Amino acid sequence: MRLCGPGLWGIAALWLCASATCFVASAGAVPPGAAVGSALPKAKWVKHRVIPGERLKEIGKRYGVSTRSLIRWNKLDPKRPRLRAGSRLRVHTRLVRPARERIRYKVRRGDSWGRIARRHGVRESHLRRRWNPRSRRLRPGDRIVIYVEGDAEQASSGGGTMQVSDTAFVSRAGSSVRPSLLLEGESAVQDFLGAEAAAVGMPIVPVSPVSQSVGWPSGGRIRHPLQLPDNPVLYTIRSPAHAYGASHTLYHLQMAIARWRARTAYGRELVIMDMSRKGGGRLRPHRSHRSGRDVDIRLPLAPGIPDGTVPIHADQVDWDAAWDLVHALIETGEVTYIFLTRSRQVRLRAAAVRAGASDAYLAKHIQYPMREKLHTVRHSKGHTKHIHVRFKCAPNAQRCKE
Ligand SMILES: [Zn+2]
């Protein structure tokens, strides 16, 4: 279901999206090569730095220009236009794109090419064959090269040739705008969503990978902040102004809830409470919630408890649904921990046992009845009505601290 005009994927898309709530409610609806960074009212000359394996056609798509023009502007051989990685091409375009950043990524245990590609919003085939042709097998500790989409700030401060309009990132363009979807070049959105999202069979709203966590959750901020997109099938956002987060958080939060919805019998609303403010920083009364990686989720309600109830008593909570949710969050592999007061953990653990969780799984993920805080679900005072979920730093968020 596409909720935006047919011109969405063109250059005009940005304006469309920037002026209305606009999102794609099902995975896979974003066409490859949807190239949008920022549309200028008038074309100007920019320089494009060629990355390894990049093709002329792709560069054309990126800037909405023809291959023929690129050949002409850069005096390339029309029969065999050779592109050298690192060389620069002159491009006359209205579509300004931040330069891509080359990062060296250290392979972690459990990583696969597909997983790394998805998390960085790049194509697996590029990652593998173009940028790291010599790394056949991935071993933890190996370093591989990834070219990620850069951000507008760097582009605008990076030496005169690039200029990025304020609407480049809708999130910064105005508070009334819900930046549910930003189109990314190189079909990053599609890759970012990946087959994983499609497989869940639930509507997932694409999230651009631009929003980044900076610093610590109790002292940091968010660069290019994005809001958790509306997705009423999955959840209800209590306060949109406090529903900003890092792209990594927004994506995995949606995925976890989608998986949970696909499996649970719980058909009622799930209320997302505080996340972060736009841009992050202090959000009272929380100590953390500053860098876009914390999400408070109200515990699901037991049958017979009216919608909207704040479950102050443990009996008002549907613990089976709560466990399924916690389980889905853990399954993302991107959750550092989940705060829940000890007295409530008793109930959660019982539900986990009912659901057939193994002793080893319980020992790993639920603190109760242990005392030390080594587990995913761990005690913190005051977390009786909601769980507080802390997400990991995105692998490409180099200034994110954990
Ligand atoms: Zn919290």
Side-chain angles (χ1 to χ4, degrees):
M1 179 175 53
R2 203 190 267 187
L3 300 179
C4 216
L8 177 64
W9 314 119
I11 292 175
L14 222 125
W15 308 112
L16 255 174
C17 292
S19 59
T21 300
C22 151
F23 62 91
V24 175
S26 70
V30 179
V36 170
S38 144
L40 301 174
K42 241 181 94 193
K44 61 179 292 185
W45 287 103
V46 298
K47 289 229 169 95
H48 172 82
R49 189 192 277 271
V50 179
I51 63 169
E54 201 169 25
R55 300 193 180 138
L56 213 52
K57 216 170 100 189
E58 292 162 351
I59 300 170
K61 230 186 216 174
R62 187 173 172 86
Y63 297 97
V65 300
S66 70
T67 310
R68 233 185 311 146
S69 303
L70 286 170
I71 291 174
R72 185 156 41 86
W73 295 329
N74 295 281
K75 301 191 172 67
L76 301 172
D77 179 350
K79 286 196 197 106
R80 298 184 68 193
R82 281 261 175 97
L83 292 181
R84 211 163 27 81
S87 65
R88 286 162 182 272
L89 295 184
R90 280 157 46 79
V91 187
H92 196 236
T93 181
R94 289 180 54 204
L95 214 50
V96 179
R97 312 293 313 277
R100 279 164 301 193
E101 252 177 275
R102 180 183 190 273
I103 61 171
R104 283 174 67 76
Y105 173 79
K106 194 169 158 192
V107 177
R108 303 191 211 159
R109 203 183 309 185
D111 274 345
S112 66
W113 290 106
R115 193 172 158 83
I116 298 170
R118 267 196 307 280
R119 289 160 80 194
H120 288 82
V122 299
R123 277 183 196 280
E124 184 182 340
S125 59
H126 295 184
L127 180 66
R128 228 174 151 152
R129 287 191 276 279
R130 293 188 180 181
W131 306 334
N132 300 283
R134 256 162 277 169
S135 317
R136 288 265 163 77
R137 283 185 53 218
L138 286 177
R139 281 161 312 199
D142 284 356
R143 296 273 181 180
I144 58 168
V145 173
I146 311 175
Y147 289 85
V148 295
E149 290 296 329
D151 57 53
E153 257 170 52
Q154 281 177 352
S156 51
S157 60
T161 55
M162 296 265 201
Q163 239 187 33
V164 175
S165 116
D166 288 340
T167 49
F169 295 102
V170 180
S171 55
R172 297 197 298 175
S175 54
S176 61
V177 172
R178 304 295 310 274
S180 343
L181 165 70
L182 286 174
L183 301 174
E184 277 292 301
E186 312 283 306
S187 65
V189 171
Q190 195 180 44
D191 287 339
F192 195 61
L193 273 168
E196 222 180 312
V200 183
M202 284 278 157
I204 304 281
V205 182
V207 176
S208 151
V210 295
S211 178
Q212 295 230 339
S213 176
V214 176
W216 302 98
S218 52
R221 60 192 173 85
I222 314 172
R223 279 185 101 186
H224 310 310
L226 291 178
Q227 243 167 347
L228 180 64
D230 275 331
N231 196 339
V233 175
L234 300 188
Y235 47 73
T236 306
I237 300 170
R238 189 188 59 159
S239 164
H242 295 167
Y244 284 84
S247 297
H248 190 66
T249 301
L250 305 180
Y251 173 73
H252 289 290
L253 177 64
Q254 271 196 88
M255 282 301 296
I257 297 175
R259 283 220 186 80
W260 173 70
R261 285 285 186 203
R263 287 194 300 233
T264 184
Y266 191 80
R268 303 170 63 182
E269 67 172 14
L270 182 73
V271 185
I272 304 295
M273 310 287 287
D274 280 347
M275 295 174 61
S276 293
R277 284 193 301 135
K278 185 179 182 183
R282 184 77 203 242
L283 172 58
R284 291 178 194 281
H286 309 278
R287 205 166 62 84
S288 59
H289 284 267
R290 295 190 197 194
S291 67
R293 291 166 47 208
D294 298 289
V295 184
D296 287 348
I297 307 175
R298 184 173 284 164
L299 288 163
L301 298 171
I305 305 296
D307 283 342
T309 303
V310 179
I312 49 173
H313 302 295
D315 288 338
Q316 294 173 316
V317 173
D318 182 334
W319 288 104
D320 293 312
W323 167 250
D324 289 342
L325 178 62
V326 166
H327 185 211
L329 286 161
I330 293 172
E331 266 186 335
T332 63
E334 297 301 327
V335 166
T336 311
Y337 55 68
I338 298 172
F339 282 142
L340 182 67
T341 299
R342 191 177 168 81
S343 63
R344 299 300 193 264
Q345 285 187 36
V346 182
R347 305 294 290 265
L348 185 74
R349 192 176 196 282
V353 171
R354 283 197 293 280
S358 70
D359 288 347
Y361 196 84
L362 292 172
K364 183 165 177 208
H365 293 296
I366 302 188
Q367 182 187 347
Y368 181 84
M370 308 302 280
R371 285 282 162 192
E372 66 282 358
K373 297 181 178 176
L374 304 167
H375 308 76
T376 313
V377 177
R378 56 181 77 175
H379 169 75
S380 174
K381 245 185 0 201
H383 292 83
T384 54
K385 307 178 279 277
H386 68 273
I387 50 173
H388 172 141
V389 186
R390 162 79 44 87
F391 283 87
K392 291 182 187 170
C393 287
N396 62 344
Q398 287 164 329
R399 291 161 67 195
C400 179
K401 298 218 165 76
E402 58 189 343

